[in-house]
Amino acid sequence: MAAMQLNWDIFCRVIDNYGDIGVCWRLARQLANEHGKQVRLWVDDLRSLQPLCPEIDATCLEQTSHGVEICHWSETVAVERVGEVIIEAFACELPAAYLAAMASMTPKPCWINLEYLTAEAWAEGCHGMASPHPSLPLVKYFYFPGFSPATGGLLRERNLFASRDAEIAQCLRDDTLEISLFCYDSAPVGELLDILGESPTAVRLHVAPGQPLAAVAAHFGGNGPWQRGALSVLPFEFLPQEEFDRLLWRCDINFVRGEDSFVRAQWAAQAFVWQAYWQADEAHLDKLDAFLQRYIAGLSATGANAAVDLFQAWNSGCGLRQAWKNFLAARPEIATHNRRWAEGLAGNHDLAEALVKFCAGKV
Ligand code: TRH
């Protein structure tokens, strides 16, 4: 029966970094584990999934992990079965043979283009829009994640807040300020390190591998760990996705980037600083402004200015020193605000659940 929509195929083409596969991997697991769907995740680059899910074998063309069937997506892939729901992540363009197989099905499958996250208002207008295929009898629907009930929501597992709160409750803490760093190499990392190195109180900076670690190593030299005054800088190995979430829960301030870590920092309900993924024509700055406008509602003028100034300084490379000072002063208010912000967002539907309902309504 079509309305059951048991078989879901998610197609993911890795452009760069870990955001595309990070989002698809979370969605695939949630659909399988919370909604009982049989999910096949087609990925063109299994090596980018492997760090997030170390159990998989990046050379194996078909395997199952966390209840998800993971298939290597090559251009010559043979189509034995077409899902009842097909998710084309980030307009990755389905293989022509697969599209033809979709078009021959009765009833037609539900075809979704899962879009990138933005807080910009236009995403609300475009969410759910239908786009008929120019020549095949198929309709594609645009699905926009977002921060308001007029969008497709954000990925949030059912037990997420309970797991987070349990982890924080059992976390043994001293007075050290714990910070995680996951950013692009365009961020003013050297300046941040200098500022943190002057801290009168203990700071522990956990540095992600790749661009963040390269930026730190370029500033300090060597491979770390490093100690500068009261600042300890600790590189960490790439963590499985659930472990990365836990790190964010345990830190007082999280520097995050892109899309998926940005959302996870919000669920962590700790202070965070976001570096947007660079886009041509400074389009990422519109994304940043749109998010900040929503996010600061409810903060005092001082708290709002502190958050806006630090996000902007981190993204532009200008004014970090003063912005950091003001942010630290406002941190208690910002941390309280972030918990409220996360709870407010959780009042909206979670993306996986909303997507299941959306697709059921398109049969
Ligand atoms: O890696 P990113 O920069 O991804 C970006 C963005 O998604 C951007 O919008 C997109 O256009 C571009 O990729 C192609 O940042 P993001 O989105 O935070 O994704 C990182 C993923 O890696 C996220 O799922 C968290 C995960 N991660 C771990 O699981 N373990 C780790 O140790 C680290 C550092 C990250």
Side-chain angles (χ1 to χ4, degrees):
M1 192 170 107
M4 292 284 293
Q5 296 181 322
L6 191 58
N7 296 298
W8 289 51
D9 277 355
I10 303 177
F11 284 84
C12 175
R13 203 182 284 283
V14 176
I15 305 296
D16 63 3
N17 302 326
Y18 297 98
D20 308 286
I21 189 60
V23 168
C24 291
W25 179 230
R26 279 195 205 279
L27 174 62
R29 280 184 295 156
Q30 219 186 325
L31 288 169
N33 300 326
E34 295 185 10
H35 298 279
K37 303 299 181 189
Q38 289 184 5
V39 183
R40 275 194 308 194
L41 174 59
W42 295 89
V43 195
D44 68 339
D45 180 6
L46 286 166
R47 283 164 312 169
S48 65
L49 174 58
Q50 210 270 336
L52 281 79
C53 175
E55 298 88 351
I56 70 152
D57 175 353
T59 63
C60 181
L61 301 184
E62 277 183 37
Q63 59 201 303
T64 299
S65 181
H66 295 251
V68 175
E69 200 181 327
I70 299 164
C71 305
H72 182 241
W73 172 16
S74 67
E75 292 314 318
T76 54
V77 71
V79 185
E80 308 127 15
R81 147 171 95 68
V82 171
E84 283 121 34
V85 177
I86 293 100
I87 302 189
E88 181 182 329
F90 314 119
C92 64
E93 286 195 22
L94 299 178
Y98 192 91
L99 266 181
M102 282 165 64
S104 68
M105 277 175 77
T106 307
K108 299 288 175 264
C110 178
W111 180 15
I112 299 288
N113 181 28
L114 177 64
E115 285 288 346
Y116 285 114
L117 172 65
T118 179
E120 292 160 292
W122 60 261
E124 296 174 340
C126 295
H127 174 59
M129 260 170 48
S131 165
H133 190 279
S135 54
L136 296 171
L138 292 169
V139 177
K140 172 157 76 174
Y141 294 95
F142 290 92
Y143 196 92
F144 279 82
F147 300 91
S148 79
T151 67
L154 299 169
L155 284 171
R156 174 173 42 83
E157 297 78 17
R158 270 182 205 149
N159 60 356
L160 181 66
F161 285 13
S163 307
R164 177 199 68 193
D165 293 342
E167 171 97 9
I168 292 173
Q170 66 168 29
C171 197
L172 293 173
R173 292 297 311 267
D174 54 21
D175 290 341
T176 305
L177 184 70
E178 305 277 351
I179 306 177
S180 73
L181 182 66
F182 183 46
C183 61
Y184 302 111
D185 51 14
S186 51
V189 172
E191 192 180 358
L192 178 71
L193 294 169
D194 290 342
I195 295 167
L196 296 179
E198 294 163 16
S199 169
T201 52
V203 179
R204 198 172 293 129
L205 183 68
H206 304 268
V207 182
Q211 294 184 45
L213 182 58
V216 173
H219 191 69
F220 283 153
N223 300 318
W226 297 271
Q227 187 73 42
R228 295 289 184 277
L231 169 67
S232 311
V233 182
L234 307 175
F236 63 86
E237 298 281 321
F238 203 94
L239 299 167
Q241 216 173 27
E242 303 95 321
E243 285 297 318
F244 179 69
D245 291 356
R246 289 197 193 98
L247 174 71
L248 300 187
W249 300 343
R250 292 193 301 267
C251 283
D252 302 299
I253 304 177
N254 293 303
F255 284 82
V256 286
R257 73 186 200 189
E259 176 162 332
D260 190 57
S261 60
F262 168 48
V263 173
R264 300 328 270 193
Q266 292 169 68
W267 295 145
Q270 308 285 16
F272 70 96
V273 188
W274 175 46
Q275 186 180 18
Y277 181 79
W278 185 88
Q279 286 177 286
D281 301 326
E282 311 270 273
H284 60 294
L285 296 183
D286 293 337
K287 273 188 162 187
L288 179 69
D289 286 345
F291 174 73
L292 283 169
Q293 270 178 36
R294 288 180 194 269
Y295 168 67
I296 60 173
L299 276 169
S300 70
T302 311
N305 287 338
V308 169
D309 289 351
L310 185 59
F311 277 53
Q312 284 178 344
W314 189 239
N315 280 273
S316 68
C318 302
L320 186 65
R321 183 170 285 274
Q322 189 59 46
W324 178 254
K325 194 170 164 221
N326 296 345
F327 188 82
L328 276 190
R331 193 167 68 87
E333 184 197 343
I334 289 174
T336 308
H337 174 73
N338 283 2
R339 187 159 276 272
R340 259 201 322 264
W341 169 254
E343 274 156 18
L345 288 180
N348 300 337
H349 39 240
D350 114 69
L351 190 148
E353 189 173 12
L355 184 59
V356 168
K357 284 197 189 128
F358 181 89
C359 294
K362 297 299 172 199
V363 177

